[in-house]
Amino acid sequence: MAVFVYKFGGTSVGSVERIKAVAEKIKKSRDQGNHIVAVVSAMSGETNRLTGLAKEIQSSPNNREMDVLLSTGEQVTMSLLSMALHEINCPACSYTGGQVKILTDSMHTKARIREIDDVKVKKDLDKGRVVVVAGFQGIDEEGNITTLGRGGSDTTAVALAAALKADECHIYTDVDGVYTTDPRVEPKARKLDKITFEEMLEMASLGSKVLQIRAVEFAGKYNVALRVLSSFEEGEGTLITYEESEMERALISGIAFNRDEAKLTITGVPDLPGVASKILCPVADKNIEVDMIIQNIADDATTDFTFTVHRNDYERAKKILEDICSDLGAKEVTTDDTIVKISIVGVGMRSHAGIASTMFKVLADEGINIRMISTSEIKISVVVDEKYLELAVRALHKAFELEQE
Ligand code: ADP
Ligand code: ASP
Ligand code: MG
């Protein structure tokens, strides 16, 4: 008997009708003799709605209470889906992350899964029940509710699939697979039948929200067969897989972008040993993650130091820089939260020169100014003004021949 973990995202459970349709889909698979664990997200818009409520009360809400609040979104869906299954005579039982139990660390709002106790789930599956689990949440050693960061239901699903040694983990969403870029930005994007874990990891970490990065990490580490499919239509979706020698190796497999970044610069910093740490240590001390970093040396023995952070951390990072500016003997702090990062990703890049220059030429031909650049073995990222996002993505998509045939 095969064991499947199916995850249904926000849009897929966005209304009572959708929840009923999901229940039918699950029942059909169960009737074929499969064991099913269904992981659910909050109904679409709910996590944002709850976040909005919290911010009306506290501009920077208490993280522990935020987790208590946000976990309710998934709890609503799990019970409704379980009811919908009962209604069509499919035995089912729903559990919160804490009930399962999904043990995490105590990093509220971005907790990591440590261990899953699958005894309860297995017992239910053996009794022929569908087990519905609230995604995105867990519990720490002290019994506090935790959440796994935005998009975290993907990770719940993959982690459960790993713990249960499931045959496959299906991520059902509102697109029918992983595309060469977000099809909402480039309608000519092409669906990929397969993508390597390595490339998917880069795409996810560079902003493609179709899968949470930790879900991809988990799947790669624990060898979970992972597939992204549409919950609305039939199809094979996209398989995330290990690199196979016969796999057709495109130069570039995809374009990712991230609208959530902001850029901060401190200019005229005396060019002395220890300057970078003096700037970045206070930022790290406040738990702010830094992404790209650039330091330029000027003729007058000063440097300009630029880095990017998540837009949520922008105001806090700006304040820290303003506070240390005069102590450092620096000139001024300039900031910009209207930038985006666009990245091209592909394992084929390893063996080919000239990809970066092609990318820069394409952007230049469109009159797009590049503000920052960063490269690694299988990706090149640039920071540009946010108004150029669509133009840049489409131009690159075309230049690297990613369009549908
Ligand atoms: P869910 O609520 O089901 O988790 P998400 O909104 O988190 O759905 O993820 C699906 C969305 O990811 C799609 O609607 C699409 O706009 C976006 N997306 C971004 N990059 C890609 C990509 N490369 N391929 C497919 N979808 C992508
Ligand atoms: N509901 C959470 C979010 O919107 C988790 C998820 O859907 O994966 O980010
Ligand atoms: Mg998601």
Side-chain angles (χ1 to χ4, degrees):
M1 220 184 218
V3 177
F4 287 108
V5 176
Y6 294 161
K7 178 256 173 177
F8 297 94
T11 325
S12 311
V13 292
S15 66
V16 166
E17 284 65 41
R18 287 301 315 154
I19 290 174
K20 287 181 182 171
V22 163
E24 291 290 350
K25 193 179 187 77
I26 292 171
K27 181 168 191 288
K28 197 166 144 200
S29 180
R30 181 183 170 273
D31 288 349
Q32 286 164 359
N34 299 318
H35 280 315
I36 311 289
V37 175
V39 173
V40 290
S41 286
M43 293 168 79
S44 55
E46 182 63 6
T47 308
N48 288 344
R49 188 185 75 87
L50 294 169
T51 306
L53 288 178
K55 288 198 169 159
E56 277 183 44
I57 292 176
Q58 273 199 298
S59 58
S60 180
N62 177 278
N63 281 342
R64 181 189 179 280
E65 300 314 320
M66 198 63 184
D67 281 351
V68 177
L69 177 70
L70 293 187
S71 66
T72 63
E74 271 69 12
Q75 196 169 339
V76 169
T77 320
M78 77 181 202
S79 49
L80 292 177
L81 177 59
S82 189
M83 286 176 201
L85 286 162
H86 284 284
E87 188 60 20
I88 54 174
N89 297 316
C90 180
C93 191
S94 70
Y95 296 110
T96 62
Q99 285 174 315
V100 165
K101 95 191 207 188
I102 297 176
L103 185 71
T104 71
D105 62 21
S106 302
M107 284 297 288
H108 285 291
T109 76
K110 47 182 169 196
R112 282 175 182 267
I113 297 177
R114 283 200 176 143
E115 215 177 279
I116 294 185
D117 178 359
D118 57 9
V119 174
K120 207 182 259 171
V121 177
K122 278 192 173 142
K123 237 186 222 164
D124 279 318
L125 290 177
D126 286 342
K127 286 184 187 150
R129 291 180 187 142
V130 169
V131 181
V132 184
V133 178
F136 173 59
Q137 54 181 269
I139 195 163
D140 73 2
E141 295 275 9
E142 279 75 48
N144 298 299
I145 295 173
T146 53
T147 65
L148 311 178
R150 296 308 300 262
S153 299
D154 297 338
T155 304
T156 306
V158 175
L160 269 168
L164 294 164
K165 300 192 174 52
D167 293 80
E168 272 199 29
C169 178
H170 292 182
I171 305 291
Y172 288 101
T173 182
D174 55 3
V175 278
D176 62 351
V178 178
Y179 278 70
T180 45
T181 193
D182 189 338
R184 287 179 208 275
V185 166
E186 172 51 285
K188 291 188 194 138
R190 182 166 45 88
K191 194 191 83 132
L192 302 166
D193 293 333
K194 284 182 179 180
I195 183 168
T196 66
F197 277 109
E198 218 181 346
E199 287 168 322
M200 195 61 239
L201 212 53
E202 284 286 357
M203 293 277 279
S205 76
L206 295 167
S208 293
K209 291 187 176 140
V210 62
L211 280 176
Q212 198 198 35
I213 179 165
R214 287 201 204 137
V216 189
E217 277 169 3
F218 243 103
K221 189 163 165 196
Y222 295 101
N223 208 352
V224 175
L226 182 62
R227 203 177 271 282
V228 175
L229 319 96
S230 163
S231 63
F232 298 85
E233 37 188 276
E234 295 294 316
E236 292 293 297
T238 301
L239 182 69
I240 325 296
T241 179
Y242 295 99
E243 196 172 341
E244 296 162 14
S245 50
E246 77 273 20
M247 232 166 135
E248 191 196 329
R249 206 156 304 148
L251 221 47
I252 302 298
S253 52
I255 301 174
F257 53 85
N258 187 344
R259 304 179 205 253
D260 294 331
E261 292 200 20
K263 180 165 80 73
L264 301 105
T265 302
I266 180 158
T267 61
V269 190
D271 186 19
L272 300 167
V275 159
S277 83
K278 274 190 194 143
I279 297 171
L280 291 182
C281 285
V283 176
D285 288 346
K286 288 276 187 269
N287 243 324
I288 299 175
E289 269 179 51
V290 170
D291 182 22
M292 291 164 90
I293 304 172
I294 286 182
Q295 183 186 268
N296 275 329
I297 299 158
D299 291 341
D300 62 354
T302 66
T303 77
D304 289 352
F305 196 92
T306 303
F307 60 94
T308 62
V309 298
H310 194 284
R311 278 193 203 178
N312 287 346
D313 295 322
Y314 171 65
E315 291 295 343
R316 285 196 303 142
K318 191 173 164 187
K319 171 102 187 26
I320 293 169
L321 287 197
E322 282 164 356
D323 288 348
I324 60 172
C325 186
S326 63
D327 281 355
L328 281 174
K331 194 165 149 238
E332 62 173 348
V333 175
T334 58
T335 60
D336 189 350
D337 65 348
T338 59
I339 51 125
V340 286
K341 182 172 75 177
I342 301 174
S343 312
I344 57 175
V345 176
V347 287
M349 215 183 273
R350 279 197 198 114
S351 47
H352 281 81
I355 309 261
S357 55
T358 305
M359 181 183 196
F360 304 154
K361 169 124 187 14
V362 170
L363 297 172
D365 287 347
E366 298 294 341
I368 300 171
N369 194 18
I370 301 171
R371 305 202 169 271
M372 296 173 85
I373 298 171
S374 130
T375 65
S376 76
E377 213 187 356
I378 66 162
K379 73 115 204 283
I380 305 166
S381 302
V382 294
V383 166
V384 301
D385 288 351
E386 93 187 339
K387 65 179 179 217
Y388 294 127
L389 174 71
E390 279 81 9
L391 180 64
V393 168
R394 288 176 197 156
L396 291 168
H397 198 266
K398 184 154 192 276
F400 286 106
E401 295 173 355
L402 295 174
E403 296 179 354
Q404 295 162 9
E405 279 92 47

